[in-house]
Amino acid sequence: DPFSLCRLIKDCKPFSEVPVVALTANVAQDAVKRCSEVGINHVLAKPFDRTMLLRTVRYYTVDHQQGEL
């Protein structure tokens, strides 16, 4: 399940700071809260907008590395 996978990634020292973005059809408040609790950094709702996906990836890669948060 995605929650267990995220916990495994975040608990592994070399990958603990890797951002995790979830793509899900379930954006109910409790589901988003659970995502946050396991270390998922961002949740995108399906169907997702391509532009928003690209912005999110850029935020967690290029912008984050340049300190433009």
Side-chain angles (χ1 to χ4, degrees), residues 3 20-28 31-36 40-46 48 52 56 60:
F3 300 109
V20 176
V21 177
L23 303 174
T24 181
N26 185 4
V27 291
V32 173
K33 181 180 177 194
R34 186 168 179 209
C35 288
S36 178
I40 294 173
N41 300 85
H42 196 92
V43 177
L44 288 175
K46 291 181 191 175
F48 58 89
M52 182 54 87
T56 303
Y60 287 105

Side-chain angles (χ1 to χ4, degrees), residues 10-65:
K10 296 294 185 167
D11 288 344
C12 186
K13 203 64 157 165
F15 304 109
S16 62
E17 297 301 317
V18 171
V20 176
V21 177
L23 303 174
T24 181
N26 185 4
V27 291
Q29 189 174 11
D30 61 325
V32 173
K33 181 180 177 194
R34 186 168 179 209
C35 288
S36 178
E37 290 170 351
V38 299
I40 294 173
N41 300 85
H42 196 92
V43 177
L44 288 175
K46 291 181 191 175
F48 58 89
D49 175 74
R50 180 179 170 204
T51 302
M52 182 54 87
L53 174 62
L54 293 174
R55 283 183 188 160
T56 303
V57 170
R58 180 183 168 94
Y59 174 82
Y60 287 105
T61 56
V62 178
D63 293 346
H64 191 266
Q65 290 173 2

